[in-house]
Every structure is written in C-alpha cells, then in structure tokens.
Amino acid sequence: MHKYKEQLYQNLRDHLADSGWKGVRHFEFRDEIQLILPDDLDIPTEFKKLYTLLEMLPEIDHPRERVVISYSHRGWKNYKAVVINPTKQDNMLHNHV
C-alpha cells in the first residue's frame, strides 16, 4: 500500500545497518519513518545531514509519497522531523505558520 515509503524505509535500514541507528515505521497514521539514534549522537547535527543521507540511497521506482522523517533518541527524546515530498496542504500550512 505504501510502496514508496516502504522502499525508502528499506533503503535507509540497509544503509544504516551497522551504524547503531534503528528505524521504525509509523505509516498508518503518521506517514513517518522514525530514525532512533544512539544517545551519544547529537540530533540537530545529524538532522542537518538528512538530505545528504537521502542522496546516498538508491532511486525509488514508485510514485513519490509524502513521508515524515524524524530523528530522535530512545523514548522520543530530542525529536526533530521534516516532511519529505510535501503535499500542497503541507506547503500551505508551512507558508502560513
């Protein structure tokens, strides 16, 4: 059902396999891939590298879908998120906030 999101999740999981990071899918209500980082990594520093990380992943051959990618430590500590492939509604909300 969420072919793009699932492929993105698998690509991230494969790429980060030996990093100590953990990926969790929250597709049903949140459209989210949560990346849980080891406690010794700084979330804002790592979050700034998100688009560089995404560029390293293989291309996805499914129609793009809205995806929230979040970084946090265990227990949702230091949570930070961004929408990838935002919808028109996302853009409108962002421009009016």
Side-chain angles (χ1 to χ4, degrees):
M1 183 171 170
H2 302 285
K3 291 180 181 182
Y4 180 91
K5 285 187 260 257
E6 184 61 35
Q7 186 63 58
L8 178 57
Y9 172 77
Q10 296 298 326
N11 290 349
L12 283 164
R13 190 187 71 177
D14 293 347
H15 184 77
L16 299 170
D18 296 322
S19 68
W21 295 34
K22 179 181 178 188
V24 180
R25 286 173 258 175
H26 302 287
F27 292 163
E28 292 309 312
F29 299 106
R30 300 170 61 108
D31 293 329
E32 182 172 358
I33 296 172
Q34 179 186 15
L35 298 175
I36 303 168
L37 283 63
D39 289 342
D40 62 339
L41 291 179
D42 181 62
I43 297 292
T45 300
E46 296 303 317
F47 192 75
K48 287 179 186 176
K49 301 174 190 175
L50 173 61
Y51 289 101
T52 302
L53 170 63
L54 293 174
E55 288 176 4
M56 289 188 244
L57 302 177
E59 289 294 319
I60 298 173
D61 292 331
H62 301 293
R64 290 181 179 237
E65 295 178 68
R66 177 190 189 273
V67 183
V68 175
I69 296 184
S70 66
Y71 281 35
S72 71
H73 291 126
R74 279 180 252 156
W76 297 84
K77 292 179 188 172
N78 304 312
Y79 179 86
K80 191 162 181 70
V82 66
V83 176
I84 305 297
N85 304 327
T87 64
K88 289 180 183 179
Q89 184 177 4
D90 290 320
N91 288 330
M92 288 173 38
L93 288 172
H94 178 72
N95 291 331
H96 292 288
V97 174

